[in-house]
Amino acid sequence: MGEEEVQVFGFRSGPYSLRVELALKLKGVDYQHIDEDLVNKKSNHLLLKYNPIYKKVPVLVHHGKPISESLVILEYIEEKWRENYLILPQDPHQRALARFWAKYIDDNVVPAVQKAARSKEEEREKSIEEAQETLEPLEKELKNKSFFGGDKIGFVDIVGLVLACWIPATEEAVGFELLSTHKFPNLTKWAQHFVNHSVAKEVLPQKDVLVAFLKNVVFVPKN
Amino acid sequence: MGEEEVQVFGFRSGPYSLRVELALKLKGVDYQHIDEDLVNKKSNHLLLKYNPIYKKVPVLVHHGKPISESLVILEYIEEKWRENYLILPQDPHQRALARFWAKYIDDNVVPAVQKAARSKEEEREKSIEEAQETLEPLEKELKNKSFFGGDKIGFVDIVGLVLACWIPATEEAVGFELLSTHKFPNLTKWAQHFVNHSVAKEVLPQKDVLVAFLKNVVFVPKN
């Protein structure tokens, strides 16, 4: 490792860790991935040292200094490596909107999708509707753009990879439909476009691998 | 209103609105405060226009363009008015830490304090302990500094005004002790220092006014 020593403590398919890795790849920053064995909960002692508050991934360690929380890490990556690729818009108002939508995804969309995926049969329909309601403003926001970032992957896209990659896999693993082409033509097109982007492809897990993980580890039916 | 037309849709004593107002005051930016009648829930039609997603304050409107979410607004204020006063540190790693603690306060401390304040008699002790646990890392982080921002009010202090100002008022309104001098010598000293800061004083509500509001509106005993 040279001067730019960058380590990512992450979980290989975890949407929050993937954000950090995708941002680094887009910037062309070399890094070392240190995988956390979340399934067996054998936490790396370095993770406890680097993120004593939450003890969770992702953690970015740059020159030995740790940073936690994926949105905070993305801001750091943007500030540290500005030369190659910008993930946030340059206009302050547009930057604020990007930050707003990123926070919106984490505060509203992710919990609603998780709730729907874990809902019991009798609550399924209602919880899907609620999750879809959280997606509607994003469908509108996307308009005719290729990406939330315009013609290239930006901050909201990176944060939204949880939608592009995890929602379709969750739909298949759980057996429900949430992000339908009919209701969300912009978002489904965007998701397709996103997962086939050359840089995103290097980072994002294969759908079938993710579906198997979700089926066998996350959404195991209780007996 | 001149070229720098700045409006804050806020609730006079609301901790999130106060963050925005304190940041603007520290920067020396003139603004118009438009008070939301949250108590009677008569929402301003402009608020619905400016923040259709959450329909809540604070909203900063600059030259007619709205921004919601207090942390997002603070970043915007920092970027737009850099000349007079900086609220974030200049070093990227220090900036990341400031953002981490700000998010920590909103995600962990505020919900725990609210839970403690609203807890039933039999759950009170446990919920106070849990809230105090969330305060411990902040007590440690403050060390011997006057402010989280060092020798001046910074990002974490502004976000943390909910602790400096609302916790002591909540303690008095509800009748419990959370931020004790014995357990939190650094935080209590910081809170005292903060509320007596000349600029903070212009913005923060008087403690007795806040206590009366909390007693009469927020924590009204149910009959």
Side-chain angles (χ1 to χ4, degrees), chain A residues 53-54 65-69 72 75-76 79-80 92-93 95-97 99-101 103-104 107-108 137, chain B residues 53-54 65-69 72 75-76 79-80 92-93 95-97 99-101 103-104 107-108 137:
Chain A
I53 302 291
Y54 294 116
K65 290 183 187 169
I67 303 169
S68 321
E69 289 283 349
V72 174
E75 297 267 2
Y76 178 84
E79 289 177 3
K80 267 287 175 184
H93 187 255
R95 287 165 81 85
L97 291 183
R99 289 180 175 126
F100 174 84
W101 288 117
K103 193 166 160 36
Y104 175 82
D107 292 352
N108 297 276
Chain B
I53 302 292
Y54 294 117
K65 290 183 186 168
I67 303 168
S68 322
E69 289 283 348
V72 174
E75 297 268 1
Y76 178 84
E79 289 178 4
K80 268 289 175 182
H93 187 256
R95 287 165 81 85
L97 291 183
R99 289 181 176 126
F100 173 85
W101 288 117
K103 194 167 159 36
Y104 175 83
D107 291 352
N108 296 278

Side-chain angles (χ1 to χ4, degrees), chain A residues 5-204:
Chain A
E5 191 180 332
V6 181
Q7 294 171 308
V8 178
F9 287 77
F11 169 54
R12 185 59 76 181
S13 311
Y16 302 104
S17 302
L18 290 171
R19 290 174 180 175
V20 175
E21 302 207 26
L22 178 55
L24 290 170
K25 284 271 184 207
L26 288 167
K27 297 263 185 188
V29 177
D30 287 335
Y31 63 91
Q32 183 193 3
H33 172 98
I34 296 158
D35 209 44
E36 276 302 300
D37 186 355
L38 291 187
V39 179
N40 297 311
K41 310 262 180 201
K42 275 192 250 164
S43 245
N44 190 312
H45 73 283
L46 278 174
L47 182 67
L48 301 180
K49 175 185 155 193
Y50 285 140
N51 189 3
I53 302 291
Y54 294 116
K55 302 172 188 70
K56 69 181 187 188
V57 295
V59 177
L60 179 86
V61 181
H62 188 204
H63 294 309
K65 290 183 187 169
I67 303 169
S68 321
E69 289 283 349
S70 67
L71 298 189
V72 174
I73 297 171
L74 291 181
E75 297 267 2
Y76 178 84
I77 290 171
E78 177 75 342
E79 289 177 3
K80 267 287 175 184
W81 295 282
R82 298 191 64 79
E83 59 282 1
N84 302 333
Y85 188 100
L86 291 169
I87 56 179
L88 276 163
Q90 289 310 286
D91 170 69
H93 187 255
Q94 291 298 318
R95 287 165 81 85
L97 291 183
R99 289 180 175 126
F100 174 84
W101 288 117
K103 193 166 160 36
Y104 175 82
I105 289 170
D106 277 359
D107 292 352
N108 297 276
V109 184
V110 172
V113 170
Q114 281 176 337
K115 194 181 159 198
R118 292 182 184 282
S119 62
K120 288 179 197 143
E121 199 61 37
E122 61 272 24
E123 296 154 0
R124 179 68 46 99
E125 201 179 331
K126 189 166 169 281
S127 67
I128 289 176
E129 271 172 32
E130 285 169 359
Q132 287 177 329
E133 275 169 27
T134 68
L135 289 167
E136 278 162 19
L138 292 170
E139 170 71 12
K140 214 170 141 191
E141 175 63 16
L142 201 51
K143 289 176 213 126
N144 298 317
K145 294 184 286 186
S146 296
F147 294 107
F148 288 98
D151 54 2
K152 61 173 197 166
I153 293 180
F155 195 70
V156 183
D157 301 287
I158 295 170
V159 172
L161 66 78
V162 61
L163 315 180
C165 158
W166 275 68
I167 288 186
T170 305
E171 288 177 322
E172 196 171 317
V174 175
F176 68 175
E177 196 183 30
L178 209 141
L179 200 62
S180 69
T181 319
H182 173 65
K183 276 195 175 149
F184 300 103
N186 299 339
L187 278 172
T188 43
K189 206 172 137 191
W190 161 82
Q192 204 57 33
H193 199 163
F194 191 169
V195 296
N196 287 307
H197 182 281
S198 61
V199 182
K201 256 183 159 166
E202 288 180 44
V203 173
L204 300 182

